[in-house]
Amino acid sequence: MHISRLVNEKAGLMNDTDKSKEQLISELASARRKISRLDQIITAGQMETQIFQWALESAPNAFLMLDQAGNIVMVNKIAERLFGYERGKMTGKVFESLLSEKSRGRFQQCHSGFFLNASKSTACSCSDYYGLHRDLTEFPIKICVNTVQTKAGAREVVSIIDITENLRAIEALRENEEQLRLFVQQAPTAVAMLDCDMKYVLASERWLTDYHLAGSVIGKSHYEVFPEILKMPHWLEIHKRCLAGAVEKCDEDKFVRADGTVEWLRWEILPWHKSTGEIGGIIMFTEDITARKKAEGLVETAYHELEDRVRARTEELAQANVVLEREIRQHKKTEAALRESEGYNRNLFDQSPMGLALCRMDGALVDVNPAYAKIIGRTVEGCLKLTYWDITPQKYAAEEEAQLESLRTVGRYGPYEKEYIHKDGHLVPVRLQGLIIEKEGKKFIWSSVEDITVKKKAEEEVIQKTEQLARSKAELEQLELFAFSATHDLQEPLLKIIFYSDFLEKEVAPQLNDKGREYLQKICAGAYRMLHIMEQLRELSRIGTADKPFEKINLGSVLHEVISDLDIRISEAGAQVELGSLPFIEGDKIQMRQLFQNLISNALKFRQPGGITPRVVIQGRLAGQGMVEILVEDNGIGFDEKYLDRIFKPFQRLHGRNEYEGSGIGLAICQKIVLRHKGSITAKSAPGKGTVFIISLPGHNDTKEVSNERYEKKNA
């Protein structure tokens, strides 16, 4: 109800003379109530404005209110500080003037027509704006715009947050993440970071090289990269525990790869956490200690061998010592009677092959035999001018004190090993022991000394041979790699020779005389033979690097497949092939097929002339200690067993190429396959008597299990 209306009603009452007094009083009371209500409305409106103003002032963010023209009509104190203006100088400004040049157009575009749909509008928020301070510096802000209805009409309330620190924090986080990525990638040890699904987040270069991983593994599952782990329940349990928060490690752990190779690892696995505190995945630190374990094995073997020799030698010395002590006791009995004579059993002392010496407690030598003098390269007289310390290197001072302490406490020392200084300056390794004796009331040290130079050199026959074998193995691996690479590189030019030779044979041969056509045919035949040789060489070089894991193989089934593949050659030769009982083994099925295909092909190739039916018999038998033997017997031309070593070497042929075709590599491939399966192959033969190849291989876990299928193919 408007004020003017109320006033008019009041005047109407005063001019109405026809109304009764009671009616006038009633209407006047009603007017007063309406006026009181109007005062309350006006007061409430003022209170609402004050409450809104108070809310803006108390807000933690900068707030501005805009009219429909985009002019600022209300500002809180946070906005004053944010933009550097006093409140009175901000009111009336166009809001876009508080934005940077590059942000004004975007704000106008986003908020054009905002008031036209005010009743439907919802809050609008965006972080891609830059505010403009009074000093003209720009700073990143987040703007949230909403529409409110006031008595003066619709208004925009703009909330503004300075996000400078947020952006700095994000950039710092990005830098930290980049530093973490670089730290992990360049770490000197193998490090990998995985998420809760066991997918790679980061991996160091060392991780990729240590485990021979080609390309990036980021995003791949750990079990995809190492499928063998799925067959190792204990590893799956370790991963599960670490993803639940546990930290686990191991100094020595055996890890069997999919190709059967064994690696020894030292590892530690611990969880990593997200910024929320939740576990984000695990970090793995590993170190390949395979080389160290192998070295330790060699050292342990050498140590046990040395220990056995030391034990045997100690027993010998103990027996000699028993004899020596017996002689000393006997000498003590006769010492008084022999005191005036020249020594005590001088002949035995001088003729002893072991060095013997007597010295005072201060180390001065008072008597030595020729064997002792020979050890240090001096005469007996020259030795008597020396002390024990003159021929002992300084580095043994501590050990010598320990032996002297043993003399003082138990009356004897050793046996132990040390070195003497030879007259020419070189050091002589010796083993010595001794005890305290009394002579003419004085104490002396009686010592027996053995020169162990030969033994030490032998131990060094062992170390050098081990190193030489390691170098030979590495050189062989390099040679195999070179053979594979060389044959691969030569293949393309050879194929070109074959292509153009075939082309010449088809297109030019009619124009050549008989001699020219013969030469061209020899070129073609030689090129094809060279290609076959290179294929054989590549196959030979690949065998040692094959990475297919071994599996249980039924040799009977394998040989059925081989005979089926060779069916045409068997038929052409009119041969008989018979199979007996064959065992199950652990191995590479493809290489087993290749092994027996080569052996059967050899039997068909080197068959007897004169129409004799070729016959091949293959059967297996148990050989004890988990091994089995497979015998491949033929009735071919045979060979002299003095050439047995040659037939398994590449390119070693016992017959001319004109007599029998082939590259001379087939049996070398057979031997390499057998060696890869930790077995052996040999042969028994005689010229004209056929050949028996004997292959020894580790059987399957149950070596009694055999394939009882029999097979006989006759092509008379």
Side-chain angles (χ1 to χ4, degrees):
M1 184 179 293
H2 296 293
I3 296 175
S4 59
R5 181 181 173 188
L6 291 174
V7 172
N8 289 333
E9 287 181 354
K10 185 175 180 181
L13 289 172
M14 294 176 66
N15 294 328
D16 193 353
T17 55
D18 296 332
K19 294 182 180 178
S20 65
K21 182 179 180 180
E22 289 79 7
Q23 287 177 328
L24 290 173
I25 293 172
S26 176
E27 290 176 357
L28 182 60
S30 176
R32 286 177 176 172
R33 285 196 298 272
K34 291 178 179 179
I35 291 171
S36 176
R37 183 180 175 188
L38 178 60
D39 291 339
Q40 291 175 356
I41 290 172
I42 293 172
T43 303
Q46 293 173 344
M47 182 63 71
E48 180 182 349
T49 301
Q50 291 175 356
I51 291 173
F52 187 74
Q53 180 68 36
W54 176 82
L56 288 181
E57 292 297 331
S58 302
N61 300 336
F63 276 95
L64 300 92
M65 181 178 284
L66 312 180
D67 61 16
Q68 295 189 20
N71 298 321
I72 301 172
V73 298
M74 188 179 293
V75 180
N76 70 350
K77 59 185 178 183
I78 302 298
E80 288 183 283
R81 290 199 297 269
L82 184 62
F83 290 97
Y85 292 98
E86 295 179 359
R87 187 171 311 195
K89 292 185 179 181
M90 291 181 71
T91 306
K93 276 182 172 288
V94 177
F95 175 68
E96 284 88 334
S97 65
L98 298 179
L99 300 178
S100 68
E101 191 70 31
K102 58 188 176 185
S103 298
R104 292 173 186 172
R106 290 187 58 253
F107 183 79
Q108 291 175 354
Q109 183 180 358
C110 289
H111 294 82
S112 61
F114 195 81
F115 283 107
L116 297 177
N117 299 309
S119 60
K120 300 179 181 179
S121 297
T122 58
C124 176
S125 177
C126 186
S127 299
D128 299 331
Y129 289 103
Y130 281 84
L132 186 65
H133 195 268
R134 184 179 181 181
D135 62 7
L136 301 182
T137 57
E138 297 181 1
F139 55 95
I141 58 174
K142 177 179 180 181
I143 296 178
C144 183
V145 183
N146 208 341
T147 305
V148 297
Q149 297 294 332
T150 69
K151 292 183 175 59
R155 294 286 185 266
E156 277 186 325
V157 176
V158 183
S159 171
I160 303 172
I161 302 174
D162 184 350
I163 60 173
T164 302
E165 294 301 324
N166 290 351
L167 293 180
R168 288 176 181 168
I170 291 171
E171 179 63 19
L173 180 60
R174 188 194 65 77
E175 290 179 356
N176 287 340
E177 290 177 347
E178 180 64 14
Q179 290 172 358
L180 174 61
R181 184 184 68 81
L182 290 174
F183 170 76
V184 171
Q185 285 186 341
Q186 302 303 322
T189 57
V191 183
M193 188 174 182
L194 300 94
D195 62 17
C196 288
D197 295 324
M198 292 300 290
K199 291 184 177 179
Y200 283 89
V201 178
L202 290 174
S204 68
E205 291 295 331
R206 185 67 179 272
W207 184 275
L208 301 179
T209 55
D210 278 8
Y211 299 110
H212 314 292
L213 303 177
S216 174
V217 297
I218 305 304
K220 292 184 180 180
S221 169
H222 186 55
Y223 307 128
E224 176 187 353
V225 176
F226 297 98
E228 52 269 74
I229 294 179
L230 295 173
K231 299 179 182 179
M232 304 175 182
H234 74 286
W235 272 107
L236 300 177
E237 288 298 321
I238 290 171
H239 295 162
K240 184 177 179 181
R241 291 196 297 271
C242 291
L243 286 171
V247 175
E248 301 206 12
K249 61 182 179 179
C250 182
D251 288 335
E252 290 184 359
D253 202 355
K254 185 178 181 181
F255 183 51
V256 182
R257 298 299 302 271
D259 62 358
T261 59
V262 176
E263 294 177 350
W264 286 90
L265 303 177
R266 178 165 58 200
W267 56 263
E268 182 172 357
I269 305 177
L270 62 158
W272 62 269
H273 296 78
K274 300 178 181 177
S275 58
T276 59
E278 298 176 294
I279 293 177
I282 59 175
I283 298 178
M284 296 183 178
F285 299 88
T286 67
E287 180 184 357
D288 189 339
I289 58 172
T290 306
R292 193 197 77 189
K293 287 292 293 182
K294 289 181 179 178
E296 288 176 352
L298 292 173
V299 170
E300 184 177 2
T301 300
Y303 174 79
H304 288 314
E305 292 176 355
L306 179 60
E307 193 176 47
D308 292 340
R309 291 198 296 270
V310 170
R311 186 181 299 108
R313 191 59 180 160
T314 301
E315 291 175 357
E316 294 175 4
L317 290 175
Q319 294 175 359
N321 192 52
V322 170
V323 174
L324 181 61
E325 289 180 345
R326 187 184 305 119
E327 292 173 353
I328 292 173
R329 287 195 297 271
Q330 183 65 31
H331 171 73
K332 285 183 177 180
K333 293 179 181 178
T334 60
E335 186 178 19
L338 298 176
R339 188 169 300 163
E340 299 299 328
S341 67
E342 270 195 38
Y344 37 90
N345 205 356
R346 173 55 69 177
N347 187 53
L348 177 63
F349 180 80
D350 289 340
Q351 298 300 320
S352 173
M354 181 173 289
L356 300 173
L358 188 70
C359 65
R360 294 199 301 262
M361 296 302 292
D362 62 1
L365 293 169
V366 296
D367 202 359
V368 300
N369 70 346
Y372 185 92
K374 182 180 179 181
I375 292 174
I376 58 176
R378 290 174 170 83
T379 63
V380 171
E381 293 73 14
C383 292
L384 300 181
K385 299 176 182 179
L386 302 173
T387 69
Y388 180 82
W389 303 106
D390 293 332
I391 57 175
T392 299
Q394 181 62 33
K395 63 182 178 180
Y396 293 104
E399 177 65 19
E400 293 302 312
E401 288 297 333
Q403 298 299 329
L404 288 173
E405 180 62 25
S406 178
L407 275 172
R408 287 190 288 268
T409 55
V410 298
R412 62 188 311 114
Y413 74 91
Y416 76 107
E417 294 182 6
K418 56 173 284 186
E419 291 172 315
Y420 274 164
I421 302 173
H422 194 271
K423 183 179 180 180
D424 63 11
H426 80 273
L427 299 180
V428 182
V430 294
R431 180 188 291 109
L432 65 167
Q433 63 180 346
L435 67 160
I436 292 179
I437 64 171
E438 289 189 5
K439 182 181 179 183
E440 298 178 356
K442 296 181 181 180
K443 289 185 177 180
F444 293 86
I445 302 174
W446 175 263
S447 300
S448 62
V449 182
E450 177 190 7
D451 185 345
I452 58 173
T453 302
V454 175
K455 171 183 167 297
K456 286 294 184 181
K457 288 182 178 179
E459 291 174 355
E460 291 174 0
E461 177 199 79
V462 175
I463 295 173
Q464 290 175 358
K465 275 291 184 183
T466 301
E467 293 174 349
Q468 183 180 355
L469 287 173
R471 287 195 299 270
S472 298
K473 181 180 178 183
E475 290 171 358
L476 181 60
E477 291 174 351
Q478 289 297 321
L479 185 60
E480 290 175 346
L481 181 61
F482 171 77
F484 183 86
S485 176
T487 54
H488 181 272
D489 293 342
L490 290 172
Q491 188 173 14
E492 183 177 352
L494 186 59
L495 290 174
K496 286 184 179 179
I497 293 173
I498 292 172
F499 173 79
Y500 286 113
S501 297
D502 288 342
F503 176 79
L504 289 173
E505 189 174 21
K506 293 176 182 177
E507 301 295 330
V508 183
Q511 304 173 25
L512 300 176
N513 57 23
D514 292 344
K515 203 67 174 178
R517 283 193 294 274
E518 180 184 352
Y519 290 157
L520 186 58
Q521 289 173 355
K522 286 184 177 180
I523 291 173
C524 292
Y528 276 110
R529 186 165 60 252
M530 187 64 182
L531 181 62
H532 177 65
I533 290 174
M534 285 198 299
E535 289 174 350
Q536 292 280 289
L537 276 173
R538 291 182 67 188
E539 189 62 41
L540 182 64
S541 66
R542 276 197 297 260
I543 291 172
T545 57
D547 57 358
K548 184 176 180 183
F550 285 1
E551 59 181 341
K552 181 180 178 182
I553 298 175
N554 183 341
L555 287 182
S557 298
V558 170
L559 278 158
H560 277 282
E561 296 173 5
V562 171
I563 293 170
S564 177
D565 292 342
L566 297 175
D567 186 67
I568 294 176
R569 293 188 62 183
I570 294 172
S571 298
E572 289 176 348
Q576 297 179 359
V577 181
E578 301 175 12
L579 301 182
S581 298
L582 291 164
F584 287 78
I585 67 164
E586 289 282 340
D588 185 325
K589 186 175 181 180
I590 293 176
Q591 291 188 352
M592 284 295 110
R593 288 186 62 176
Q594 186 176 12
L595 169 66
F596 289 106
Q597 183 169 313
N598 286 1
L599 292 175
I600 295 174
S601 296
N602 255 27
L604 298 177
K605 179 166 59 176
F606 297 105
R607 58 183 181 268
Q608 294 272 16
I612 297 176
T613 300
R615 183 168 179 265
V616 184
V617 179
I618 305 172
Q619 55 188 339
R621 64 190 182 192
L622 301 179
Q625 297 185 349
M627 301 295 287
V628 298
E629 287 184 348
I630 300 95
L631 282 67
V632 181
E633 182 177 2
D634 64 57
N635 62 345
I637 63 174
F639 64 90
D640 193 327
E641 287 189 9
K642 69 181 181 180
Y643 300 116
L644 181 61
D645 291 340
R646 285 180 54 185
I647 66 172
F648 294 109
K649 294 180 180 179
F651 307 114
Q652 297 294 316
R653 303 171 56 90
L654 303 184
H655 306 278
R657 188 173 288 107
N658 295 332
E659 297 179 77
Y660 296 96
E661 62 178 9
S663 60
I665 301 177
L667 289 179
I669 292 175
C670 291
Q671 186 183 53
K672 198 162 186 181
I673 290 173
V674 172
L675 291 177
R676 182 181 177 243
H677 286 72
K678 296 181 175 58
S680 63
I681 181 171
T682 187
K684 293 184 177 179
S685 184
K689 301 296 183 180
T691 302
V692 180
F693 285 95
I694 304 166
I695 304 160
S696 179
L697 293 170
H700 185 254
N701 292 337
D702 185 0
T703 53
K704 296 180 180 178
E705 187 178 10
V706 296
S707 169
N708 291 313
E709 302 178 32
R710 298 188 63 83
Y711 181 93
E712 184 173 357
K713 183 173 182 64
K714 297 183 179 180
N715 291 280

PDB file of all heavy atoms in Angstrom, residues 106 128 171 227 253 351 395 613:
ATOM      1  N   ARG A 106      37.029 -11.338 -23.394  1.00  0.00           N
ATOM      2  CA  ARG A 106      36.499 -12.647 -22.985  1.00  0.00           C
ATOM      3  C   ARG A 106      35.397 -12.504 -21.964  1.00  0.00           C
ATOM      4  O   ARG A 106      34.391 -13.204 -22.000  1.00  0.00           O
ATOM      5  CB  ARG A 106      37.631 -13.509 -22.401  1.00  0.00           C
ATOM      6  CG  ARG A 106      38.637 -13.969 -23.448  1.00  0.00           C
ATOM      7  CD  ARG A 106      39.651 -14.953 -22.889  1.00  0.00           C
ATOM      8  NE  ARG A 106      38.989 -16.112 -22.331  1.00  0.00           N
ATOM      9  CZ  ARG A 106      38.878 -16.349 -21.030  1.00  0.00           C
ATOM     10  NH1 ARG A 106      39.383 -15.501 -20.161  1.00  0.00           N
ATOM     11  NH2 ARG A 106      38.249 -17.421 -20.596  1.00  0.00           N
ATOM     12  N   ASP A 128      40.532 -18.333 -16.041  1.00  0.00           N
ATOM     13  CA  ASP A 128      41.448 -17.831 -17.067  1.00  0.00           C
ATOM     14  C   ASP A 128      41.343 -16.328 -17.253  1.00  0.00           C
ATOM     15  O   ASP A 128      41.193 -15.817 -18.369  1.00  0.00           O
ATOM     16  CB  ASP A 128      41.179 -18.543 -18.401  1.00  0.00           C
ATOM     17  CG  ASP A 128      41.396 -20.035 -18.295  1.00  0.00           C
ATOM     18  OD1 ASP A 128      42.234 -20.427 -17.471  1.00  0.00           O
ATOM     19  OD2 ASP A 128      40.745 -20.776 -19.029  1.00  0.00           O
ATOM     20  N   GLU A 171      52.943 -24.825 -10.259  1.00  0.00           N
ATOM     21  CA  GLU A 171      54.209 -24.836 -10.980  1.00  0.00           C
ATOM     22  C   GLU A 171      55.297 -25.534 -10.154  1.00  0.00           C
ATOM     23  O   GLU A 171      56.106 -26.307 -10.682  1.00  0.00           O
ATOM     24  CB  GLU A 171      54.641 -23.404 -11.305  1.00  0.00           C
ATOM     25  CG  GLU A 171      55.970 -23.295 -12.027  1.00  0.00           C
ATOM     26  CD  GLU A 171      55.965 -23.953 -13.393  1.00  0.00           C
ATOM     27  OE1 GLU A 171      54.861 -24.174 -13.944  1.00  0.00           O
ATOM     28  OE2 GLU A 171      57.044 -24.248 -13.906  1.00  0.00           O
ATOM     29  N   PRO A 227      56.242 -61.648 -17.606  1.00  0.00           N
ATOM     30  CA  PRO A 227      55.142 -62.624 -17.480  1.00  0.00           C
ATOM     31  C   PRO A 227      55.479 -63.797 -16.578  1.00  0.00           C
ATOM     32  O   PRO A 227      54.587 -64.435 -16.041  1.00  0.00           O
ATOM     33  CB  PRO A 227      54.926 -63.079 -18.939  1.00  0.00           C
ATOM     34  CG  PRO A 227      56.210 -62.761 -19.646  1.00  0.00           C
ATOM     35  CD  PRO A 227      56.746 -61.540 -18.980  1.00  0.00           C
ATOM     36  N   ASP A 253      68.124 -62.952  -3.784  1.00  0.00           N
ATOM     37  CA  ASP A 253      66.897 -63.633  -4.194  1.00  0.00           C
ATOM     38  C   ASP A 253      67.099 -64.206  -5.591  1.00  0.00           C
ATOM     39  O   ASP A 253      67.639 -63.541  -6.480  1.00  0.00           O
ATOM     40  CB  ASP A 253      65.712 -62.656  -4.203  1.00  0.00           C
ATOM     41  CG  ASP A 253      64.396 -63.390  -4.091  1.00  0.00           C
ATOM     42  OD1 ASP A 253      64.409 -64.635  -4.096  1.00  0.00           O
ATOM     43  OD2 ASP A 253      63.343 -62.731  -3.992  1.00  0.00           O
ATOM     44  N   GLN A 351     120.052 -83.616   6.329  1.00  0.00           N
ATOM     45  CA  GLN A 351     119.498 -84.291   5.167  1.00  0.00           C
ATOM     46  C   GLN A 351     117.985 -84.109   5.012  1.00  0.00           C
ATOM     47  O   GLN A 351     117.417 -84.537   4.009  1.00  0.00           O
ATOM     48  CB  GLN A 351     119.805 -85.801   5.251  1.00  0.00           C
ATOM     49  CG  GLN A 351     121.283 -86.128   5.255  1.00  0.00           C
ATOM     50  CD  GLN A 351     121.966 -85.624   3.995  1.00  0.00           C
ATOM     51  OE1 GLN A 351     121.432 -85.714   2.900  1.00  0.00           O
ATOM     52  NE2 GLN A 351     123.180 -85.100   4.155  1.00  0.00           N
ATOM     53  N   LYS A 395     104.639 -56.387   6.915  1.00  0.00           N
ATOM     54  CA  LYS A 395     103.177 -56.558   6.916  1.00  0.00           C
ATOM     55  C   LYS A 395     102.716 -57.738   7.782  1.00  0.00           C
ATOM     56  O   LYS A 395     101.521 -57.849   8.084  1.00  0.00           O
ATOM     57  CB  LYS A 395     102.666 -56.738   5.486  1.00  0.00           C
ATOM     58  CG  LYS A 395     103.190 -57.974   4.778  1.00  0.00           C
ATOM     59  CD  LYS A 395     102.665 -58.043   3.340  1.00  0.00           C
ATOM     60  CE  LYS A 395     103.217 -59.256   2.607  1.00  0.00           C
ATOM     61  NZ  LYS A 395     102.721 -59.325   1.213  1.00  0.00           N
ATOM     62  N   THR A 613      68.507-100.661 -49.519  1.00  0.00           N
ATOM     63  CA  THR A 613      67.407 -99.868 -48.960  1.00  0.00           C
ATOM     64  C   THR A 613      67.884 -99.118 -47.715  1.00  0.00           C
ATOM     65  O   THR A 613      68.340 -99.741 -46.750  1.00  0.00           O
ATOM     66  CB  THR A 613      66.221-100.765 -48.577  1.00  0.00           C
ATOM     67  OG1 THR A 613      65.755-101.437 -49.746  1.00  0.00           O
ATOM     68  CG2 THR A 613      65.092 -99.929 -47.970  1.00  0.00           C
TER      69      THR A 613
END
